[in-house]
Amino acid sequence: MKIKLTPELSYIIGLWRKNRCFDGIGVKGDKTLLEVFSKLVLDAKLTTSDKLLAEDEKVYFYHTAYRKFFQEVEKEQLERFKYLNDYASSYLAGVFDGSGQIDERGVVSLSFANSQDELLLLRLGFISRRRADRLVIEKPLVFLAFIKNYLKIKNNHRAFDLIKTPSKKA
């Protein structure tokens, strides 16, 4: 079975990477996160609804080939997401939906960030600074504009109103 990386799969891997549960391939978190993960996994046909297992605060499925592929993408993230394209955008959107925050002052940050996350952002041109286990993005509107089209959960903050969307000309 040859698995091909797509922007949709990149988003799922980003979401899984920051909220993984260690039962199969799955995520733990609030109801919205679980619903989004379940819908995306079923839409991408990674599993069937009867094989998708749900517990109190986690949802997961078992598939050895996908688990190996997810781990491979995670290990090679610096090489796989080195260009400003849909793959990197959707991956970072998944990471942001999983662990990102926008506070009341418009400060955008990623929780549970490691040095690989910091290097990935830097290679893509997003400068960040470390505060404890959090990475604070220096130019938040540029970052949010980059991931905006792929966000599924955290796309209702007032900071998104400041992002210019290109107007369509007839």
Side-chain angles (χ1 to χ4, degrees):
M1 175 175 170
K2 180 72 174 158
I3 303 170
K4 185 175 181 342
L5 188 64
T6 62
E8 293 77 21
L9 200 52
S10 296
Y11 177 88
I12 294 169
I13 293 170
L15 193 62
W16 165 81
R17 186 166 169 266
K18 289 298 179 182
N19 295 291
R20 84 176 71 177
C21 70
F22 292 96
D23 298 323
I25 302 170
V27 295
K28 60 184 176 189
D30 64 3
K31 182 180 175 186
T32 307
L33 182 91
L34 301 180
E35 288 173 358
V36 166
F37 181 80
S38 300
K39 181 180 180 336
L40 291 171
V41 163
L42 293 173
D43 289 349
K45 295 184 174 37
L46 302 184
T47 190
T48 57
S49 59
D50 59 321
K51 293 183 179 179
L52 191 62
L53 306 168
E55 292 180 12
D56 289 338
E57 293 181 357
K58 62 183 173 181
V59 62
Y60 57 95
F61 64 99
Y62 292 100
H63 197 291
T64 307
Y66 280 118
R67 182 176 201 64
K68 185 177 178 185
F69 181 73
F70 280 31
Q71 290 169 339
E72 178 184 309
V73 170
E74 178 184 25
K75 190 171 80 175
E76 299 171 351
Q77 73 175 352
L78 294 175
E79 286 302 312
R80 288 188 182 252
F81 305 114
K82 62 183 176 182
Y83 301 111
L84 291 171
N85 57 20
D86 289 340
Y87 295 92
S89 177
S90 61
Y91 177 76
L92 286 176
V95 168
F96 184 76
D97 274 346
S99 69
Q101 295 175 336
I102 305 174
D103 71 7
E104 64 280 347
R105 294 175 293 148
V107 174
V108 175
S109 62
L110 297 173
S111 299
F112 312 114
N114 59 23
S115 59
Q116 254 192 333
D117 297 328
E118 193 171 5
L119 188 55
L120 176 67
L121 289 170
L122 186 60
R123 283 185 173 183
L124 291 172
F126 303 112
I127 299 169
S128 61
R129 63 183 174 342
R130 183 166 293 283
R131 265 198 210 148
D133 70 337
R134 181 178 304 283
L135 282 180
V136 177
I137 311 296
E138 290 292 324
K139 295 183 179 177
L141 294 180
V142 175
F143 177 75
L144 292 175
F146 180 63
I147 64 172
K148 180 180 181 181
N149 293 335
Y150 288 100
L151 288 174
K152 310 269 190 274
I153 300 173
K154 298 179 180 173
N155 57 2
N156 58 358
H157 191 272
R158 61 184 167 85
F160 288 101
D161 298 336
L162 301 173
I163 299 171
K164 303 270 190 275
T165 52
S167 59
K168 304 217 177 193
K169 295 181 181 177

